[in-house]
Amino acid sequence: ALKSYHCGKNVGEQREYYPLAEGQTTPQMKRQLHYEDGKLDGEQQSYFLDGTKEAFFHYNKGLLHGNRALWNKQGDLIEEATYSHGLLE
């Protein structure tokens, strides 16, 4: 994991990786998060172990704001929604 803190709060881009599999030399990203003053802010993405996208969320100051999408392991979009300041539209 790659994380940054300021005054004890998450800030900036945070990355989490799956453990290396046998024979693997480059870790596969599990999640890419963005924080501002300790709150999720901006695009948030997660990935399945094979690298395909699992989820996309957009936050504004800790609240879901904008598009949210979920995919299954086959890459099919299974859920999509839009939020405005934490409320489902």
Short mmCIF file of all heavy atoms in Angstrom, two decimals, residues 45-85:
data_model
loop_
_atom_site.label_atom_id
_atom_site.label_comp_id
_atom_site.label_asym_id
_atom_site.label_seq_id
_atom_site.Cartn_x
_atom_site.Cartn_y
_atom_site.Cartn_z
N GLN A 45 -11.27 4.05 -7.70
CA GLN A 45 -11.40 2.88 -8.57
C GLN A 45 -10.88 1.64 -7.86
O GLN A 45 -9.94 1.72 -7.07
CB GLN A 45 -10.62 3.09 -9.86
CG GLN A 45 -11.12 4.29 -10.64
CD GLN A 45 -10.35 4.50 -11.92
OE1 GLN A 45 -10.34 3.61 -12.77
NE2 GLN A 45 -9.73 5.64 -12.06
N SER A 46 -11.51 0.50 -8.17
CA SER A 46 -11.00 -0.78 -7.68
C SER A 46 -10.98 -1.77 -8.82
O SER A 46 -11.71 -1.64 -9.80
CB SER A 46 -11.84 -1.30 -6.50
OG SER A 46 -13.16 -1.56 -6.90
N TYR A 47 -10.11 -2.78 -8.68
CA TYR A 47 -9.85 -3.74 -9.75
C TYR A 47 -9.87 -5.16 -9.20
O TYR A 47 -9.49 -5.41 -8.06
CB TYR A 47 -8.47 -3.48 -10.37
CG TYR A 47 -8.33 -2.07 -10.90
CD1 TYR A 47 -7.87 -1.05 -10.08
CD2 TYR A 47 -8.69 -1.77 -12.20
CE1 TYR A 47 -7.76 0.25 -10.55
CE2 TYR A 47 -8.57 -0.48 -12.68
CZ TYR A 47 -8.11 0.53 -11.85
OH TYR A 47 -8.00 1.82 -12.32
N PHE A 48 -10.30 -6.09 -10.06
CA PHE A 48 -10.20 -7.51 -9.73
C PHE A 48 -8.73 -7.93 -9.85
O PHE A 48 -7.91 -7.21 -10.44
CB PHE A 48 -11.06 -8.35 -10.69
CG PHE A 48 -12.54 -8.16 -10.48
CD1 PHE A 48 -13.29 -7.46 -11.41
CD2 PHE A 48 -13.17 -8.71 -9.38
CE1 PHE A 48 -14.65 -7.30 -11.24
CE2 PHE A 48 -14.54 -8.54 -9.19
CZ PHE A 48 -15.28 -7.84 -10.12
N LEU A 49 -8.42 -9.09 -9.33
CA LEU A 49 -7.05 -9.60 -9.34
C LEU A 49 -6.46 -9.68 -10.75
O LEU A 49 -5.27 -9.48 -10.95
CB LEU A 49 -6.99 -10.97 -8.65
CG LEU A 49 -5.60 -11.60 -8.49
CD1 LEU A 49 -4.66 -10.68 -7.72
CD2 LEU A 49 -5.73 -12.94 -7.78
N ASP A 50 -7.31 -9.94 -11.76
CA ASP A 50 -6.80 -10.03 -13.13
C ASP A 50 -6.61 -8.67 -13.80
O ASP A 50 -6.22 -8.58 -14.95
CB ASP A 50 -7.70 -10.93 -13.99
CG ASP A 50 -9.07 -10.33 -14.23
OD1 ASP A 50 -9.37 -9.21 -13.77
OD2 ASP A 50 -9.88 -11.01 -14.90
N GLY A 51 -6.92 -7.59 -13.07
CA GLY A 51 -6.71 -6.24 -13.58
C GLY A 51 -7.93 -5.59 -14.19
O GLY A 51 -7.91 -4.42 -14.53
N THR A 52 -9.03 -6.35 -14.36
CA THR A 52 -10.23 -5.74 -14.91
C THR A 52 -10.90 -4.87 -13.84
O THR A 52 -10.80 -5.15 -12.64
CB THR A 52 -11.24 -6.80 -15.42
OG1 THR A 52 -11.57 -7.68 -14.35
CG2 THR A 52 -10.68 -7.57 -16.59
N LYS A 53 -11.56 -3.82 -14.30
CA LYS A 53 -12.17 -2.86 -13.39
C LYS A 53 -13.33 -3.50 -12.65
O LYS A 53 -14.15 -4.21 -13.23
CB LYS A 53 -12.64 -1.63 -14.16
CG LYS A 53 -12.99 -0.46 -13.26
CD LYS A 53 -13.39 0.76 -14.05
CE LYS A 53 -12.14 1.41 -14.60
NZ LYS A 53 -12.44 2.74 -15.18
N GLU A 54 -13.39 -3.25 -11.35
CA GLU A 54 -14.46 -3.77 -10.49
C GLU A 54 -15.46 -2.67 -10.14
O GLU A 54 -16.66 -2.90 -10.13
CB GLU A 54 -13.86 -4.35 -9.21
CG GLU A 54 -14.87 -4.87 -8.23
CD GLU A 54 -14.23 -5.43 -6.97
OE1 GLU A 54 -13.07 -5.13 -6.68
OE2 GLU A 54 -14.94 -6.18 -6.28
N ALA A 55 -14.96 -1.48 -9.82
CA ALA A 55 -15.85 -0.40 -9.39
C ALA A 55 -15.24 0.96 -9.68
O ALA A 55 -14.01 1.11 -9.71
CB ALA A 55 -16.14 -0.53 -7.89
N PHE A 56 -16.12 1.92 -9.88
CA PHE A 56 -15.75 3.32 -10.06
C PHE A 56 -16.73 4.14 -9.25
O PHE A 56 -17.94 3.97 -9.37
CB PHE A 56 -15.83 3.70 -11.54
CG PHE A 56 -15.65 5.17 -11.78
CD1 PHE A 56 -14.40 5.71 -11.98
CD2 PHE A 56 -16.74 6.02 -11.80
CE1 PHE A 56 -14.23 7.06 -12.20
CE2 PHE A 56 -16.59 7.38 -12.02
CZ PHE A 56 -15.33 7.90 -12.21
N PHE A 57 -16.20 5.02 -8.42
CA PHE A 57 -17.02 5.92 -7.61
C PHE A 57 -16.44 7.32 -7.72
O PHE A 57 -15.23 7.48 -7.89
CB PHE A 57 -16.97 5.52 -6.13
CG PHE A 57 -17.52 4.17 -5.81
CD1 PHE A 57 -16.72 3.05 -5.88
CD2 PHE A 57 -18.84 4.02 -5.43
CE1 PHE A 57 -17.21 1.79 -5.58
CE2 PHE A 57 -19.34 2.77 -5.12
CZ PHE A 57 -18.53 1.66 -5.20
N HIS A 58 -17.29 8.31 -7.56
CA HIS A 58 -16.80 9.69 -7.51
C HIS A 58 -17.32 10.31 -6.21
O HIS A 58 -18.51 10.23 -5.90
CB HIS A 58 -17.28 10.50 -8.71
CG HIS A 58 -16.52 11.76 -8.87
ND1 HIS A 58 -16.82 12.90 -8.19
CD2 HIS A 58 -15.42 12.05 -9.61
CE1 HIS A 58 -15.95 13.85 -8.52
NE2 HIS A 58 -15.10 13.35 -9.38
N TYR A 59 -16.40 10.90 -5.46
CA TYR A 59 -16.73 11.53 -4.19
C TYR A 59 -16.42 13.02 -4.24
O TYR A 59 -15.53 13.46 -4.96
CB TYR A 59 -15.91 10.92 -3.05
CG TYR A 59 -16.42 9.60 -2.55
CD1 TYR A 59 -16.10 8.42 -3.21
CD2 TYR A 59 -17.23 9.52 -1.42
CE1 TYR A 59 -16.56 7.20 -2.75
CE2 TYR A 59 -17.69 8.31 -0.96
CZ TYR A 59 -17.35 7.15 -1.61
OH TYR A 59 -17.80 5.94 -1.16
N ASN A 60 -17.16 13.77 -3.41
CA ASN A 60 -16.87 15.18 -3.20
C ASN A 60 -16.90 15.42 -1.71
O ASN A 60 -17.97 15.32 -1.08
CB ASN A 60 -17.92 16.05 -3.92
CG ASN A 60 -17.60 17.53 -3.83
OD1 ASN A 60 -16.75 17.94 -3.07
ND2 ASN A 60 -18.30 18.32 -4.61
N LYS A 61 -15.75 15.67 -1.13
CA LYS A 61 -15.62 15.95 0.31
C LYS A 61 -16.27 14.87 1.17
O LYS A 61 -16.99 15.15 2.11
CB LYS A 61 -16.18 17.32 0.64
CG LYS A 61 -15.46 18.43 -0.09
CD LYS A 61 -16.05 19.77 0.20
CE LYS A 61 -15.30 20.81 -0.62
NZ LYS A 61 -15.90 22.13 -0.53
N GLY A 62 -16.03 13.60 0.80
CA GLY A 62 -16.50 12.48 1.60
C GLY A 62 -17.88 11.95 1.25
O GLY A 62 -18.31 10.96 1.81
N LEU A 63 -18.58 12.62 0.33
CA LEU A 63 -19.92 12.18 -0.07
C LEU A 63 -19.90 11.69 -1.51
O LEU A 63 -19.25 12.30 -2.37
CB LEU A 63 -20.92 13.33 0.04
CG LEU A 63 -21.17 13.90 1.43
CD1 LEU A 63 -22.09 15.11 1.35
CD2 LEU A 63 -21.79 12.84 2.34
N LEU A 64 -20.64 10.59 -1.78
CA LEU A 64 -20.78 10.16 -3.16
C LEU A 64 -21.39 11.31 -3.96
O LEU A 64 -22.41 11.89 -3.55
CB LEU A 64 -21.69 8.94 -3.25
CG LEU A 64 -21.05 7.59 -2.95
CD1 LEU A 64 -22.11 6.52 -2.79
CD2 LEU A 64 -20.08 7.21 -4.04
N HIS A 65 -20.75 11.64 -5.07
CA HIS A 65 -21.24 12.76 -5.88
C HIS A 65 -20.82 12.51 -7.33
O HIS A 65 -19.64 12.58 -7.65
CB HIS A 65 -20.68 14.09 -5.37
CG HIS A 65 -21.25 15.28 -6.08
ND1 HIS A 65 -22.52 15.71 -5.85
CD2 HIS A 65 -20.71 16.10 -7.02
CE1 HIS A 65 -22.76 16.77 -6.62
NE2 HIS A 65 -21.68 17.02 -7.34
N GLY A 66 -21.78 12.17 -8.15
CA GLY A 66 -21.48 11.84 -9.54
C GLY A 66 -21.77 10.38 -9.81
O GLY A 66 -22.61 9.76 -9.15
N ASN A 67 -21.06 9.82 -10.77
CA ASN A 67 -21.33 8.45 -11.20
C ASN A 67 -20.72 7.40 -10.28
O ASN A 67 -19.66 7.62 -9.70
CB ASN A 67 -20.78 8.23 -12.61
CG ASN A 67 -21.49 9.09 -13.62
OD1 ASN A 67 -22.66 9.41 -13.46
ND2 ASN A 67 -20.79 9.47 -14.67
N ARG A 68 -21.44 6.28 -10.21
CA ARG A 68 -20.94 5.08 -9.53
C ARG A 68 -21.25 3.92 -10.45
O ARG A 68 -22.36 3.82 -10.99
CB ARG A 68 -21.66 4.88 -8.21
CG ARG A 68 -21.16 3.65 -7.45
CD ARG A 68 -22.04 3.31 -6.31
NE ARG A 68 -23.17 2.56 -6.87
CZ ARG A 68 -24.11 2.00 -6.15
NH1 ARG A 68 -24.14 2.13 -4.87
NH2 ARG A 68 -25.08 1.32 -6.74
N ALA A 69 -20.28 3.05 -10.67
CA ALA A 69 -20.48 1.91 -11.55
C ALA A 69 -19.78 0.68 -10.97
O ALA A 69 -18.71 0.79 -10.38
CB ALA A 69 -19.94 2.21 -12.94
N LEU A 70 -20.43 -0.49 -11.15
CA LEU A 70 -19.87 -1.76 -10.71
C LEU A 70 -19.87 -2.74 -11.87
O LEU A 70 -20.84 -2.79 -12.64
CB LEU A 70 -20.71 -2.35 -9.56
CG LEU A 70 -20.87 -1.49 -8.31
CD1 LEU A 70 -21.87 -2.13 -7.36
CD2 LEU A 70 -19.53 -1.29 -7.63
N TRP A 71 -18.80 -3.51 -11.99
CA TRP A 71 -18.67 -4.53 -13.04
C TRP A 71 -18.49 -5.90 -12.40
O TRP A 71 -17.96 -6.01 -11.30
CB TRP A 71 -17.44 -4.24 -13.91
CG TRP A 71 -17.58 -3.04 -14.77
CD1 TRP A 71 -18.01 -3.01 -16.07
CD2 TRP A 71 -17.27 -1.69 -14.44
NE1 TRP A 71 -18.00 -1.72 -16.55
CE2 TRP A 71 -17.54 -0.89 -15.57
CE3 TRP A 71 -16.80 -1.05 -13.29
CZ2 TRP A 71 -17.35 0.49 -15.59
CZ3 TRP A 71 -16.61 0.32 -13.30
CH2 TRP A 71 -16.89 1.07 -14.45
N ASN A 72 -18.87 -6.95 -13.11
CA ASN A 72 -18.57 -8.30 -12.64
C ASN A 72 -17.20 -8.73 -13.18
O ASN A 72 -16.57 -7.99 -13.95
CB ASN A 72 -19.69 -9.30 -13.02
CG ASN A 72 -19.86 -9.47 -14.52
OD1 ASN A 72 -18.97 -9.17 -15.32
ND2 ASN A 72 -21.03 -9.97 -14.91
N LYS A 73 -16.76 -9.92 -12.79
CA LYS A 73 -15.42 -10.39 -13.20
C LYS A 73 -15.29 -10.60 -14.70
O LYS A 73 -14.19 -10.61 -15.23
CB LYS A 73 -15.07 -11.69 -12.45
CG LYS A 73 -14.81 -11.47 -10.99
CD LYS A 73 -14.41 -12.75 -10.29
CE LYS A 73 -14.14 -12.49 -8.83
NZ LYS A 73 -13.69 -13.69 -8.14
N GLN A 74 -16.40 -10.74 -15.41
CA GLN A 74 -16.36 -10.90 -16.86
C GLN A 74 -16.30 -9.56 -17.59
O GLN A 74 -16.20 -9.51 -18.80
CB GLN A 74 -17.60 -11.69 -17.34
CG GLN A 74 -17.63 -13.13 -16.92
CD GLN A 74 -17.96 -13.32 -15.44
OE1 GLN A 74 -18.78 -12.61 -14.88
NE2 GLN A 74 -17.29 -14.27 -14.80
N GLY A 75 -16.36 -8.46 -16.83
CA GLY A 75 -16.28 -7.13 -17.42
C GLY A 75 -17.61 -6.52 -17.80
O GLY A 75 -17.66 -5.47 -18.44
N ASP A 76 -18.71 -7.17 -17.40
CA ASP A 76 -20.04 -6.65 -17.71
C ASP A 76 -20.46 -5.62 -16.65
O ASP A 76 -20.32 -5.87 -15.45
CB ASP A 76 -21.08 -7.78 -17.71
CG ASP A 76 -20.75 -8.87 -18.72
OD1 ASP A 76 -20.38 -8.53 -19.86
OD2 ASP A 76 -20.85 -10.06 -18.35
N LEU A 77 -20.97 -4.48 -17.09
CA LEU A 77 -21.50 -3.47 -16.18
C LEU A 77 -22.75 -4.04 -15.53
O LEU A 77 -23.70 -4.44 -16.22
CB LEU A 77 -21.83 -2.20 -16.95
CG LEU A 77 -22.34 -1.02 -16.14
CD1 LEU A 77 -21.28 -0.53 -15.16
CD2 LEU A 77 -22.76 0.10 -17.07
N ILE A 78 -22.76 -4.13 -14.20
CA ILE A 78 -23.89 -4.75 -13.51
C ILE A 78 -24.70 -3.74 -12.69
O ILE A 78 -25.83 -4.04 -12.30
CB ILE A 78 -23.45 -5.93 -12.61
CG1 ILE A 78 -22.41 -5.48 -11.59
CG2 ILE A 78 -22.94 -7.08 -13.46
CD1 ILE A 78 -22.06 -6.54 -10.55
N GLU A 79 -24.12 -2.58 -12.44
CA GLU A 79 -24.86 -1.58 -11.67
C GLU A 79 -24.31 -0.21 -12.01
O GLU A 79 -23.10 -0.02 -12.13
CB GLU A 79 -24.71 -1.85 -10.17
CG GLU A 79 -25.61 -1.00 -9.31
CD GLU A 79 -25.52 -1.39 -7.84
OE1 GLU A 79 -25.44 -2.60 -7.53
OE2 GLU A 79 -25.52 -0.47 -7.01
N GLU A 80 -25.21 0.75 -12.16
CA GLU A 80 -24.80 2.12 -12.45
C GLU A 80 -25.77 3.06 -11.74
O GLU A 80 -26.97 2.82 -11.73
CB GLU A 80 -24.82 2.35 -13.95
CG GLU A 80 -24.14 3.61 -14.40
CD GLU A 80 -24.00 3.66 -15.91
OE1 GLU A 80 -24.77 2.98 -16.62
OE2 GLU A 80 -23.11 4.38 -16.36
N ALA A 81 -25.25 4.11 -11.14
CA ALA A 81 -26.10 5.06 -10.43
C ALA A 81 -25.42 6.43 -10.44
O ALA A 81 -24.22 6.54 -10.67
CB ALA A 81 -26.32 4.60 -8.99
N THR A 82 -26.21 7.45 -10.17
CA THR A 82 -25.69 8.81 -10.07
C THR A 82 -26.11 9.37 -8.71
O THR A 82 -27.26 9.22 -8.30
CB THR A 82 -26.25 9.69 -11.20
OG1 THR A 82 -25.89 9.10 -12.45
CG2 THR A 82 -25.66 11.09 -11.14
N TYR A 83 -25.16 10.02 -8.05
CA TYR A 83 -25.40 10.60 -6.74
C TYR A 83 -25.18 12.10 -6.78
O TYR A 83 -24.36 12.60 -7.56
CB TYR A 83 -24.43 10.00 -5.70
CG TYR A 83 -24.78 8.59 -5.31
CD1 TYR A 83 -24.42 7.51 -6.12
CD2 TYR A 83 -25.45 8.34 -4.13
CE1 TYR A 83 -24.75 6.22 -5.77
CE2 TYR A 83 -25.78 7.03 -3.77
CZ TYR A 83 -25.42 5.98 -4.58
OH TYR A 83 -25.75 4.71 -4.22
N SER A 84 -25.89 12.78 -5.90
CA SER A 84 -25.70 14.22 -5.74
C SER A 84 -25.54 14.49 -4.24
O SER A 84 -26.49 14.30 -3.47
CB SER A 84 -26.89 14.98 -6.30
OG SER A 84 -26.71 16.37 -6.12
N HIS A 85 -24.36 14.85 -3.85
CA HIS A 85 -24.05 15.16 -2.45
C HIS A 85 -24.51 14.06 -1.50
O HIS A 85 -25.13 14.31 -0.47
CB HIS A 85 -24.65 16.52 -2.04
CG HIS A 85 -24.23 17.63 -2.94
ND1 HIS A 85 -22.95 18.16 -2.94
CD2 HIS A 85 -24.88 18.28 -3.94
CE1 HIS A 85 -22.85 19.09 -3.85
NE2 HIS A 85 -24.01 19.19 -4.47
#
